[in-house]
Amino acid sequence: MSASSFAIYRLPHTDVATFIQQTEGAPAELHSCTELNGRSGFVVAPFEVTDEQPLLLIRPDVVRQIPVSDVASLLSFEAPTFSPHASKATKSTYAIDFANYHSQLQLGTFRKIVLARCVDESSDAAINPLTLFRRACDLYPRMFISLVSTPRSGIWLTATPEILLQGINHQWRTIALAGTMKLEGEGLLGEGESTSWSIKNIKEQRYVSTYITECLEQYTSDFREEGPTTVRAADLVHLRSDFTFTLPDHQHIGDLLQTLHPTPAVCGLPKRDAFKFITHNEHTPRRYYSGFMGMLNPDGDTHLYVSLRCMNIEGNYYHLYAGGGLLKDSVMEQEWQETEAKLQTMRRCLAIKKM
């Protein structure tokens, strides 16, 4: 099915996957989130919308629900043909990026900025992406798992804990997720409830919460924030605040998405300046990493998640992405190790151990 486009996703704490397929034509290519107003389908949004990386909307010609254990029976997978690209990211290039970003924090240009990187892995033979999807579902029951394939985007597997927007009709929710610590030893037996958070992590999460509050105030006066609380995602824990709110006009979800995306959790503050700096200075373009994906249906269930812990699959080559928020008091080696911990999420799906 090399010419068709599809997505398969599993919501957290469930064992049922939803399969969506567009049987004819190509997914709609949009130029901004506002073009999602009044539309429905499976959204595949990049960090930066460009002509080469458009925002895609897969039309749900076929929708099926199937147990995760049976996903291999969905189709005989034939991956689109690509010429694998190589990432130039190394620890030395990351150090260069870190020094560049950190100098701007020291100067006060940004309060926070997110630095991402990409690493390349390979296997002796191509692994069926549906097998990788099944592994991710088994490994990460707390996360949103999705596998997307379109001729325009290529194939992406995502395992993410971060809700961008979720809801139905007038009732909606989003979260502020930031701060990262690795669970070790006896901490792996629980949900991270005994985690002691550093001032740096607390400040980083508060920046994101404040930003989301300011965004929601533009669309509704009826919202509530709860948290922050510690939540577990694989072997990591994060700080999370939950926002619930009502929207008088849910046919203009695209406008809200345009305001929210990208959040400071994947970009920085001030948002516009940080976004411009990132797109001009990171060694490896993010492509669909730190964008968002999921099902959009203003009159039904909407589940949109930020595309974290993801990889782009090209045959037996796998491009893994991870990033972390930098503040003025960030230390390069600590930030590098944080990205290494995040990369383990996808490496475990590939059965690769690097830590």
Side-chain angles (χ1 to χ4, degrees), residues 8-39:
I8 180 171
Y9 68 90
R10 189 221 60 191
L11 296 175
H13 304 292
T14 67
D15 56 8
V16 176
T18 301
F19 174 72
I20 294 164
Q21 183 180 3
Q22 181 169 331
T23 55
E24 295 182 359
E29 297 187 8
L30 310 180
H31 302 291
S32 74
C33 294
T34 57
E35 294 182 40
L36 292 170
N37 283 338
R39 305 183 72 163

Side-chain angles (χ1 to χ4, degrees), residues 166-237:
Q166 190 175 73
I168 182 171
N169 293 326
H170 302 288
Q171 304 300 317
W172 298 86
R173 67 186 290 246
T174 186
I175 67 171
L177 189 77
T180 301
M181 293 188 68
K182 186 178 179 181
L183 288 176
E184 296 178 310
E186 293 184 359
L188 292 166
L189 302 176
E191 296 297 314
E193 57 274 7
S194 61
T195 301
S196 178
W197 289 96
S198 67
I199 294 175
K200 183 261 183 185
N201 279 300
I202 293 170
K203 285 169 61 178
E204 184 182 347
Q205 200 275 339
R206 178 40 47 189
Y207 284 149
V208 181
S209 295
T210 301
Y211 170 82
I212 290 178
T213 297
E214 293 170 350
C215 289
L216 294 180
E217 286 174 341
Q218 300 177 44
Y219 296 90
T220 180
S221 59
D222 181 16
F223 68 90
R224 183 176 63 179
E225 177 184 359
E226 295 181 348
T229 58
T230 299
V231 294
R232 180 174 176 177
D235 293 345
L236 305 176
V237 286

Side-chain angles (χ1 to χ4, degrees), residues 96-285:
I96 292 169
D97 280 352
F98 179 89
N100 187 16
Y101 281 47
H102 196 248
S103 67
Q104 298 300 313
L105 291 162
Q106 297 284 4
L107 290 170
T109 307
F110 309 116
R111 283 174 284 162
K112 170 187 175 176
I113 190 165
V114 176
L115 174 57
R117 66 185 181 99
C118 175
V119 301
D120 295 336
E121 304 288 359
S122 63
S123 57
D124 293 336
I127 305 171
N128 187 330
L130 290 171
T131 299
L132 295 174
F133 174 84
R134 169 72 186 275
R135 288 180 188 173
C137 289
D138 292 343
L139 286 167
Y140 308 120
R142 302 172 181 83
M143 294 191 189
F144 172 82
I145 312 296
S146 64
L147 177 70
V148 173
S149 177
T150 77
R152 200 77 162 94
S153 65
I155 308 166
W156 289 79
L157 177 69
T158 300
T160 176
E162 185 170 353
I163 298 167
L164 181 64
L165 191 62
Q166 190 175 73
I168 182 171
N169 293 326
H170 302 288
Q171 304 300 317
W172 298 86
R173 67 186 290 246
T174 186
I175 67 171
L177 189 77
T180 301
M181 293 188 68
K182 186 178 179 181
L183 288 176
E184 296 178 310
E186 293 184 359
L188 292 166
L189 302 176
E191 296 297 314
E193 57 274 7
S194 61
T195 301
S196 178
W197 289 96
S198 67
I199 294 175
K200 183 261 183 185
N201 279 300
I202 293 170
K203 285 169 61 178
E204 184 182 347
Q205 200 275 339
R206 178 40 47 189
Y207 284 149
V208 181
S209 295
T210 301
Y211 170 82
I212 290 178
T213 297
E214 293 170 350
C215 289
L216 294 180
E217 286 174 341
Q218 300 177 44
Y219 296 90
T220 180
S221 59
D222 181 16
F223 68 90
R224 183 176 63 179
E225 177 184 359
E226 295 181 348
T229 58
T230 299
V231 294
R232 180 174 176 177
D235 293 345
L236 305 176
V237 286
H238 307 285
L239 281 170
R240 185 177 96 179
S241 294
D242 290 73
F243 294 82
T244 53
F245 57 98
T246 61
L247 287 177
D249 182 5
H250 60 279
Q251 290 300 315
H252 285 80
I253 292 299
D255 294 340
L256 176 57
L257 290 170
Q258 184 73 15
T259 303
L260 286 172
H261 173 69
T263 74
V266 296
C267 184
L269 290 169
K271 172 180 169 178
R272 184 173 299 178
D273 294 337
F275 179 82
K276 183 177 179 180
F277 188 87
I278 288 168
T279 56
H280 284 78
N281 288 277
E282 267 182 358
H283 264 86
T284 306

Side-chain angles (χ1 to χ4, degrees), residues 20-86:
I20 294 164
Q21 183 180 3
Q22 181 169 331
T23 55
E24 295 182 359
E29 297 187 8
L30 310 180
H31 302 291
S32 74
C33 294
T34 57
E35 294 182 40
L36 292 170
N37 283 338
R39 305 183 72 163
S40 62
F42 193 93
V43 180
V44 186
F47 177 69
E48 178 190 20
V49 178
T50 65
D51 291 340
E52 293 74 29
Q53 293 156 185
L55 191 160
L56 301 171
L57 185 65
I58 300 174
R59 186 179 65 245
D61 296 333
V62 174
V63 179
R64 291 178 57 192
Q65 289 195 323
I66 187 169
V68 168
S69 58
D70 295 339
V71 294
S73 66
L74 280 170
L75 49 89
S76 177
F77 196 97
E78 295 180 21
T81 301
F82 293 95
S83 298
H85 72 280

